[in-house]
């Protein structure tokens, strides 16, 4: 079952490695690659999000909604990562 807290923790880890901020598309692609790699190598998904291929690259749909600010104000994503502003995530 999808866990937004785990998605937030994964995003925070990638952001930390990048110095605290990055374009949202890059973060989404890193999260997608981590999810696909886990499925391929371990036969299980980390996030269990819905995977989609879009014009600008792969997307984890529920994670992307939270990245844009959807969902309740207090949630696992907002605990670790701010919502997207000017196409950047911090």
């Amino acid at each position: 079952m999808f866990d937004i807290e785990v998605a937030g923790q994964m995003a925070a880890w990638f952001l930390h490695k990048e110095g605290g901020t990055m374009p949202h598309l890059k973060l989404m692609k890193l999260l997608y690659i981590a999810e696909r790699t886990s499925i391929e190598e371990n036969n299980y998904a980390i996030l269990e999000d819905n995977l989609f291929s879009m014009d600008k690259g792969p997307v984890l749909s529920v994670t992307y909604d939270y990245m844009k600010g959807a969902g309740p104000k207090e949630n696992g994503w907002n605990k670790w990562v701010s919502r997207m502003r000017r196409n950047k995530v911090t």
Side-chain angles (χ1 to χ4, degrees), residues 5-55:
E5 178 104 16
V6 173
Q9 290 171 348
M10 286 177 62
W13 186 85
F14 282 121
L15 288 166
H16 173 74
K17 293 294 183 183
E18 189 72 12
T21 188
M22 75 172 67
H24 78 284
L25 288 174
K26 182 176 181 178
L27 177 59
M28 180 55 66
K29 290 176 183 184
L30 290 169
L31 292 169
Y32 185 92
I33 290 167
E35 184 78 341
R36 292 291 301 159
T37 301
S38 178
I39 292 168
E40 291 170 5
E41 293 181 3
N42 304 313
N43 295 320
Y44 74 88
I46 300 167
L47 300 176
E48 297 184 23
D49 200 341
N50 300 314
L51 308 174
F52 289 99
S53 181
M54 303 295 280
D55 292 339

